[in-house]
Amino acid sequence: MSDISVIPAVKRERAGKGAARAIRREGLVPCVIYGDNKDPSMVSVDPRVIWKGLESGHFFSTVYTVDVEGGSKEKALVRDVQFHPVSDQVLHVDFVRAGKNTTLHVSVPVVFLNEDSCEGVKAGGIISYVRHEVEVICAATDVPSEFTLDLATAQVGDTIRISDIDMPKGVTSAITDRDPVVVNIAAPKGAASADDAEEEGEAEEAASEE
């Protein structure tokens, strides 16, 4: 389950583009918290807190406690972040409440371990990353902060799929019609052609003997 971190926030009274621009002029980011059959809550947050979360790599899979100054504390997940198209300034953040009965589709980052000591890499193979995130369905209070895949014993030709990830109870893949590849250990370039040449040579030799 995700670690619960705290995001300090200040309640804002007015909605609308003009009010949002005023918040940004104050050096803050306008945000809204919605869901769980409650009225939306409008707050503003220090952009440094937002950027710290974004840089962590777990911003969209962490259950945060949004601590509103002089008000309530609400558990929520980040649903969307809007950026300025030129400056990359954070313009707005949407949070969705993490109620006991809230079920979410959420992308969870995959962390790969022991890449340098991977047996397949030592044998000349190449790690091919297909997915760095896996979309799952789970209760809002049970969102994993990350999944880990240990590549230490992976061999050349091995393919690791979503079903190979050890997911906590109550967490399931959002993709049900197939079992997508997360990472594989590809054979080194030229290996396949060398094998083919060897097989062709053996076939020619067998034919001449006949």
Side-chain angles (χ1 to χ4, degrees):
M1 184 185 301
S2 303
D3 293 329
I4 298 178
S5 301
V6 177
I7 292 182
V10 178
K11 184 178 181 180
R12 57 189 180 100
E13 300 297 336
R14 295 187 300 129
K17 293 183 178 179
R21 284 194 293 267
I23 291 294
R24 295 185 193 108
R25 283 196 295 268
E26 295 174 6
L28 299 174
V29 178
C31 308
V32 63
I33 308 168
Y34 63 89
D36 202 27
N37 296 316
K38 299 177 182 178
D39 292 335
S41 297
M42 296 179 296
V43 299
S44 55
V45 174
D46 188 324
R48 292 172 295 183
V49 175
I50 303 299
W51 278 111
K52 183 178 180 180
L54 288 166
E55 292 167 356
S56 74
H58 302 93
F59 194 47
F60 291 92
S61 59
T62 298
V63 177
Y64 288 100
T65 296
V66 182
D67 187 359
V68 183
E69 182 180 338
S72 62
K73 296 182 180 180
E74 298 198 76
K75 291 184 175 63
L77 286 107
V78 178
R79 174 54 71 194
D80 185 52
V81 179
Q82 298 174 23
F83 299 92
H84 190 281
V86 177
S87 67
D88 283 338
Q89 174 190 3
V90 178
L91 298 178
H92 193 274
V93 179
D94 288 345
F95 291 90
V96 60
R97 292 185 179 94
K100 291 188 299 183
N101 300 319
T102 304
T103 300
L104 297 175
H105 284 63
V106 61
S107 293
V108 177
V110 180
V111 176
F112 301 96
L113 306 177
N114 297 314
E115 297 153 286
D116 294 338
S117 58
C118 172
E119 293 181 5
V121 171
K122 290 180 178 179
I126 300 170
I127 300 176
S128 178
Y129 302 99
V130 180
R131 290 172 180 266
H132 289 274
E133 293 182 331
V134 173
E135 187 178 359
V136 299
I137 301 173
C138 61
T141 53
D142 293 331
V143 179
S145 60
E146 63 185 27
F147 294 125
T148 58
L149 282 176
D150 191 343
L151 302 180
T153 60
Q155 306 291 328
V156 173
D158 282 358
T159 296
I160 301 174
R161 299 179 179 273
I162 288 180
S163 61
D164 296 314
I165 295 175
D166 185 18
M167 295 189 181
K169 183 179 180 180
V171 179
T172 59
S173 171
I175 302 174
T176 58
D177 59 342
R178 62 192 189 283
D179 191 9
V181 174
V182 177
V183 61
N184 59 53
I185 312 301
K189 292 181 179 180
S193 58
D195 291 343
D196 292 342
E198 183 178 350
E199 291 178 2
E200 289 176 3
E202 291 177 353
E204 291 176 359
E205 183 178 348
S208 62
E209 290 177 355
E210 293 177 357

